[in-house]
Amino acid sequence: GFVVGHAGLYQALAMFAVAYFIIGMTVLSVCAIATNGALDAGGAYYMISRALGPEFGGSIGIMFFLANVCGSALYVLGLVEAVVDSFGIPPGQKVGTGVHVLPQSYWYELLYGTVLLALCLLVCLVGASIYAKATFLIFLIVAGVLGTILVSFFATRPIGVPIRLPHFNGSETENGSFTGFSLATLRDNLGGGYGVDYTTGQMMSFSSVFAVMFNGCTGIMAGSNMSGDLKRPSYSIPRGTISAVLFTYLVYNLLAFLMCATCNRTLLQKDYGFLRDISIFPPLVTVGIYAATLSAAMSNLIGASRILYALARDDLFGRALALAKKTSASGNPVMAVILSWLVVQLVLFSGKLNTIAGVVTTFFLLVYATVNLACLALEWASAPNFRPTFRYFTWHTCLLGIAGCCIMMFLISPVSASVSLGFLLLLLLALHYLSPSSTWGYISQALIFHQVRKYLLMLDVRKDHVKFWRPQMLLMVQNPRGSARLIDFVNDLKKSGLYVLGHVELQDLDALPSDPLQPQQDSWLSLVDKLNVKAFVSLTLAPSVRHGVRQLLFTSGLGGMRPNTLVLGFYDDTAPQDGLAQHPAFTIAREEVPLGFPPLRAPDAPKLLSPREYVGIVADALKMLRNVLLARQLESLDKAWELRRATSPPPAIHVWPVNLLRPDSARYADTCSLFLLQMACVLNMARAWRRARLRLFLCVEAGAMPHAQEEKLRQLLKDLRIQAQIQLVPWDAVTRLHWQSPRGPPGGPAVEEEEEEGAVNFPANTTQVSDEYVCAANKLVLEQSPAPAVRFLYLPRPPADTSLYVLYLHQLELLTRGLGPTVLVHGVSAVTSTQL
């Protein structure tokens, strides 16, 4: 009567259509989730938490608990309103007459609500079985009352109904009319005629009437809330819920039409209990109203208690909800029932039904939207295990349900909707950072996998362009205990590119009962988390380190995301130091993660690979057109101290873009030099290294027009948008040692040098460089002060003759000896662009 009286038939039918459209879409999602596996206590909370994860589940669980609590209070207040309407002392009278003996005031109505709520509490404390019996009895009563009302519309003759309304100086009386079936009455009630609600004194509107009406439709979750108490929830929930929705929708529409055709607007707006006046047996209507509202109040109270119990059992809020875990001998969560009752009692202080209707509706709509979101996420994730036996849904129905809920939330009350969403967001963030990890499975992982696969297929390597080149690193790590700072350093070098930690285990799978790498995977992933580096982990078994690195270079990555740069630690005789044990990530919080890795190699223990094999790995990478970085003494780099020290000048990055082992071809614009410049610039762009300054060293000889060379290099840096200080370094004394040293390998002529960077035949310049020259070049680099945080040096190609690999490595060791943190760089791909 309230809805039809204010909104008229057309708008009432539109409200029912909108409400049941939202409810229908949500029911389809509920049925799909309910038939996809075993359900436990908690209903919608259980569905959402197991589908979307603990953050969404916990936050929506609290919202749904509050919705049921407020809903229970709403129905109790509605019952109080009905009781007072039937038995209350009329306004303006001090003494009651006949059955009108109950005093009316805020505190008396609060007392009546408390007594009725206590009755609901007693039923819920006994358990779900007595509740089920009570609700079935109530269903029979309500069905009988409904039948009586339908008969009354046809059997009752037209009558006038006096309506006594409260007024500021007593009461006033208006006359409503039951006209019987009348075309004139129907025509008058077709359009809207919003007036003042006589219980609150507030002007009604479409949104406020819809908010009150929608609360009469929220019982669709009553069955799912009892999921833990049902024998076959996946069977009972779809059938019971769909039947209830169809039945109530038909009854609401039928009643709306009958009321509009038989009752004038005054009767509908001014007397919400008019059905008693037109019924052929008025007491039965009163009993039906009491029974229906009492059943709804109990349903919401027991639903709230089951949600609270499920939240407590999942330990998402720790000790805050520990009390709600306690159950009776029969398994009834009595403490959850009592706590829910206390919260409902607090809500009763709001006093009037329509005051909290908007808040309750907003909460329920938010829960329904999230149920649809859970089903939509499961459908979009396309996981093979999402196989609900209920198939009458698609992602379109889920999306329509979400859109409908969100639109109606903001139409009803923009303020309530905004506050509810803000509260939900706070709960989400709190649970994300504070709740323990769960074993329920995270739908986010399934969705991420689905999207990543799709976008990887779209990432076409044939469309790569140098403008959008980025480093994609494969860092080979023998033991993370000795490589913690190197791992962190390469993380700064990746510039949002792919970063893979590679490890080779020297074992033969044929001789092993199972894969030995699987138990190690968790230790490596925990290491990545603790060091806070954005890296993947790739482990492999191989008979030798060289074969293992080849495997990783061939197989690491996927599609267009494959490593283009190999990073190796330097091969020397330095005893490895356990940098992981002293790393801040493990010293601040006493973690056991480092214990998952074996102890470091003893200084006198044999190495896993020979010098020849090490240089062979570099040669293999260059053959496979991978850039190569060799990092020496990076474990001595204290990045935090270097970059935060208050001394002036700021820390520096020294860049030597000339091949110091090949002074007869000292060029600054070849592919390798440009790649070296790019890597130094990338490091400088990292947030932690922005204070550092690039210093570029230009080696010049007397009579070679150094200023012209400097200007040319400065123009190159300008074209590449690289900010760097250029410093001229005379090296006549160094190059003189090169030209005076014996030329060519012993007993044979000098080998022809190959100028082309990408050639298969490597230059054999190694034998033409003396140790004396290399030591002089090392001294030249070392003399440039102040000492930098890190140096970038040009890495020449390994010689074509594999017998010279050891000599080549010896020269690299002499060149970088005592330089501190140094990165030797060799690039094979064009990585710089001057285009837009």
Side-chain angles (χ1 to χ4, degrees):
F2 168 81
V3 176
V4 176
H6 287 283
L9 181 61
Y10 290 153
Q11 292 189 37
L13 294 179
M15 287 183 187
F16 292 139
V18 170
Y20 275 87
F21 173 79
I22 294 171
I23 289 168
M25 298 300 102
T26 306
V27 164
L28 297 180
S29 299
V30 167
C31 294
I33 298 174
T35 58
N36 189 54
L39 273 180
D40 207 339
Y45 157 71
Y46 188 85
M47 297 178 192
I48 294 168
S49 61
R50 269 49 177 185
L52 299 182
E55 295 94 344
F56 252 107
S59 52
I60 285 296
I62 290 293
M63 301 292 282
F64 198 28
F65 167 74
L66 293 175
N68 277 276
V69 160
C70 294
S72 181
L74 182 110
Y75 289 119
V76 169
L77 290 171
L79 183 53
V80 169
E81 209 171 90
V83 169
V84 169
D85 196 43
S86 300
F87 303 105
I89 299 174
Q93 296 183 16
K94 295 184 178 179
V95 180
T97 56
V99 295
H100 299 282
V101 294
L102 296 178
Q104 292 191 52
S105 72
Y106 170 80
W107 293 106
Y108 274 113
E109 290 179 7
L110 180 61
L111 175 63
Y112 305 151
T114 302
V115 172
L116 293 170
L117 183 60
L119 178 62
C120 296
L121 173 65
L122 289 175
V123 174
C124 295
L125 283 176
V126 173
S129 58
I130 190 68
Y131 165 76
K133 292 174 183 176
T135 51
F136 182 71
L137 177 63
I138 289 171
F139 167 73
L140 295 177
I141 295 172
V142 171
V145 172
L146 184 60
T148 304
I149 290 172
L150 292 176
V151 172
S152 299
F153 280 111
F154 296 91
T156 304
R157 294 180 179 180
I159 56 172
V161 180
I163 306 168
R164 186 170 294 170
L165 299 173
H167 200 260
F168 65 91
N169 58 356
S171 64
E172 59 181 22
T173 302
E174 290 190 27
N175 291 316
S177 299
F178 176 79
T179 63
F181 285 96
S182 166
L183 189 61
T185 303
L186 178 62
R187 193 178 293 114
D188 290 340
N189 289 328
L190 288 179
Y194 295 100
V196 175
D197 174 24
Y198 70 87
T199 63
T200 61
Q202 296 176 355
M203 185 67 185
M204 292 292 99
S205 63
F206 181 92
S207 60
S208 58
V209 172
F210 181 86
V212 176
M213 182 276 298
F214 191 80
N215 286 287
C217 312
T218 56
I220 63 161
M221 286 294 185
S224 61
N225 287 346
M226 298 292 293
S227 56
D229 301 297
L230 299 173
K231 289 183 179 179
R232 296 170 62 193
S234 60
Y235 175 86
S236 304
I237 289 175
R239 285 162 178 78
T241 306
I242 292 174
S243 302
V245 168
L246 292 175
F247 179 74
T248 54
Y249 180 64
L250 291 173
V251 169
Y252 282 164
N253 280 277
L254 178 60
L255 286 175
F257 174 77
L258 293 175
M259 290 175 184
C260 282
T262 59
C263 304
N264 72 351
R265 195 175 293 273
T266 301
L267 181 63
L268 294 173
Q269 282 191 356
K270 305 298 184 182
D271 184 6
Y272 300 154
F274 72 94
L275 288 175
R276 285 191 305 271
D277 301 320
I278 67 171
S279 174
I280 56 176
F281 188 54
L284 190 59
V285 175
T286 302
V287 171
I289 292 172
Y290 295 170
T293 49
L294 192 64
S295 169
M298 281 194 297
S299 171
N300 279 270
L301 179 60
I302 201 167
S305 67
R306 295 310 188 264
I307 295 165
L308 187 63
Y309 171 65
L311 283 166
R313 199 174 58 176
D314 285 338
D315 274 331
L316 294 183
F317 294 90
R319 296 180 181 177
L321 297 180
L323 191 62
K325 292 183 186 179
K326 296 184 180 180
T327 61
S328 64
S330 60
N332 186 33
V334 289
M335 289 308 301
V337 172
I338 292 171
L339 290 173
S340 301
W341 166 74
L342 285 172
V343 182
V344 175
Q345 183 63 57
L346 291 174
V347 178
L348 287 180
F349 281 94
S350 63
K352 289 294 181 182
L353 182 149
N354 293 354
T355 306
I356 59 173
V359 177
V360 177
T361 302
T362 301
F363 280 3
F364 272 112
L365 283 170
L366 195 56
V367 173
Y368 292 169
T370 314
V371 170
N372 284 301
L373 178 64
C375 190
L376 178 68
L378 289 168
E379 178 70 9
W380 274 355
S382 301
N385 283 322
F386 183 58
R387 297 189 298 271
T389 55
F390 182 87
R391 296 300 304 164
Y392 302 104
F393 78 100
T394 67
W395 65 267
H396 304 86
T397 61
C398 302
L399 210 55
L400 287 171
I402 294 170
C405 290
C406 293
I407 291 170
M408 289 314 301
M409 265 198 322
F410 282 95
L411 282 179
I412 290 169
S413 174
V415 175
S416 296
S418 302
V419 171
S420 299
L421 288 172
F423 182 54
L424 176 65
L425 184 61
L426 286 176
L427 286 172
L428 271 171
L429 292 173
L431 286 171
H432 178 73
Y433 289 107
L434 301 178
S435 70
S437 59
S438 72
T439 58
W440 306 336
Y442 291 82
I443 190 65
S444 58
Q445 296 298 302
L447 289 171
I448 289 169
F449 177 89
H450 186 73
Q451 292 301 107
V452 166
R453 181 193 65 84
K454 182 171 74 174
Y455 285 117
L456 273 175
L457 289 171
M458 295 169 62
L459 190 60
D460 192 345
V461 293
R462 294 168 296 183
K463 297 178 181 178
D464 281 349
H465 193 279
V466 65
K467 286 191 298 184
F468 308 111
W469 178 90
R470 67 183 71 239
Q472 307 201 70
M473 304 292 197
L474 171 62
L475 170 62
M476 298 306 303
V477 180
Q478 179 191 345
N479 190 331
R481 290 183 179 276
S483 308
R485 287 182 174 171
L486 177 58
I487 292 171
D488 185 54
F489 178 79
V490 177
N491 187 60
D492 291 334
L493 269 180
K494 71 181 187 308
K495 188 56 180 174
S496 303
L498 178 68
Y499 183 17
V500 180
L501 297 181
H503 173 70
V504 179
E505 193 77 17
L506 298 182
Q507 296 192 56
D508 184 4
L509 191 59
D510 291 337
L512 297 170
S514 62
D515 181 8
L517 299 179
Q518 290 301 322
Q520 298 182 29
Q521 192 80 15
D522 284 346
S523 293
W524 283 85
L525 293 176
S526 298
L527 174 76
V528 167
D529 291 339
K530 292 301 296 181
L531 293 181
N532 195 27
V533 295
K534 296 183 175 75
F536 298 95
V537 174
S538 186
L539 313 180
T540 188
L541 285 177
S544 70
V545 175
R546 187 174 182 181
H547 281 88
V549 176
R550 281 179 184 170
Q551 289 176 22
L552 293 175
L553 284 171
F554 277 125
T555 61
S556 291
L558 203 61
M561 292 190 69
R562 292 185 179 277
N564 56 27
T565 304
L566 174 68
V567 186
L568 302 172
F570 197 77
Y571 191 98
D572 56 21
D573 295 325
T574 305
Q577 302 292 325
D578 192 344
L580 203 57
Q582 284 79 41
H583 196 280
F586 299 107
T587 54
I588 295 173
R590 302 293 180 183
E591 296 285 345
E592 297 297 323
V593 176
L595 301 180
F597 301 105
L600 288 169
R601 174 182 60 85
D604 54 349
K607 296 183 178 181
L608 294 179
L609 75 165
S610 64
R612 187 167 180 170
E613 188 180 8
Y614 176 82
V615 179
I617 292 172
V618 176
D620 290 343
L622 296 177
K623 284 181 184 179
M624 296 164 71
L625 298 181
R626 302 297 201 277
N627 310 298
V628 176
L629 272 61
L630 304 183
R632 186 171 192 185
Q633 294 186 14
L634 260 297
E635 287 306 302
S636 66
L637 173 63
D638 189 345
K639 187 176 75 172
W641 181 84
E642 286 283 356
L643 301 179
R644 294 174 188 170
R645 56 186 174 141
T647 56
S648 185
I653 300 171
H654 284 191
V655 183
W656 295 79
V658 65
N659 187 352
L660 294 174
L661 295 185
R662 194 173 171 186
D664 51 335
S665 62
R667 293 180 298 170
Y668 287 90
D670 66 359
T671 301
C672 186
S673 297
L674 292 175
F675 180 79
L676 189 150
L677 277 172
Q678 181 82 323
M679 294 311 298
C681 181
V682 165
L683 180 66
N684 194 210
M685 292 169 71
R687 180 177 300 176
W689 289 86
R690 285 176 186 166
R691 276 195 66 240
R693 296 291 179 263
L694 286 180
R695 293 183 67 195
L696 189 61
F697 293 91
L698 176 61
C699 296
V700 294
E701 298 180 50
M705 301 177 65
H707 293 293
Q709 293 184 35
E710 180 184 4
E711 189 58 35
K712 185 178 179 181
L713 183 57
R714 196 178 301 281
Q715 184 61 42
L716 175 65
L717 293 177
K718 182 179 179 181
D719 292 340
L720 297 176
R721 289 90 60 205
I722 296 176
Q723 300 286 333
Q725 174 192 349
I726 299 175
Q727 183 169 333
L728 300 180
V729 179
W731 71 329
D732 297 83
V734 178
T735 55
R736 194 177 300 117
L737 294 173
H738 173 68
W739 301 119
Q740 291 175 357
S741 62
R743 307 289 292 169
V751 181
E752 184 71 23
E753 292 184 4
E754 182 63 59
E755 290 293 330
E756 191 176 342
E757 281 293 328
V760 175
N761 298 318
F762 303 118
N765 188 59
T766 308
T767 57
Q768 303 179 25
V769 178
S770 66
D771 287 357
E772 184 182 10
Y773 164 76
V774 177
C775 289
N778 169 264
K779 184 179 179 183
L780 178 72
V781 174
L782 196 57
E783 285 174 347
Q784 308 308 314
S785 60
V790 65
R791 290 180 172 91
F792 283 84
L793 269 61
Y794 190 117
L795 173 67
R797 278 180 172 273
D801 187 353
T802 57
S803 65
L804 300 176
Y805 279 2
V806 176
L807 177 59
Y808 168 80
L809 185 58
H810 170 68
Q811 291 174 354
L812 294 182
E813 195 280 328
L814 286 179
L815 179 64
T816 57
R817 183 180 293 175
L819 294 184
T822 304
V823 183
L824 291 161
V825 180
H826 191 98
V828 295
S829 54
V831 296
T832 55
S833 172
T834 58
Q835 302 175 9
L836 272 179

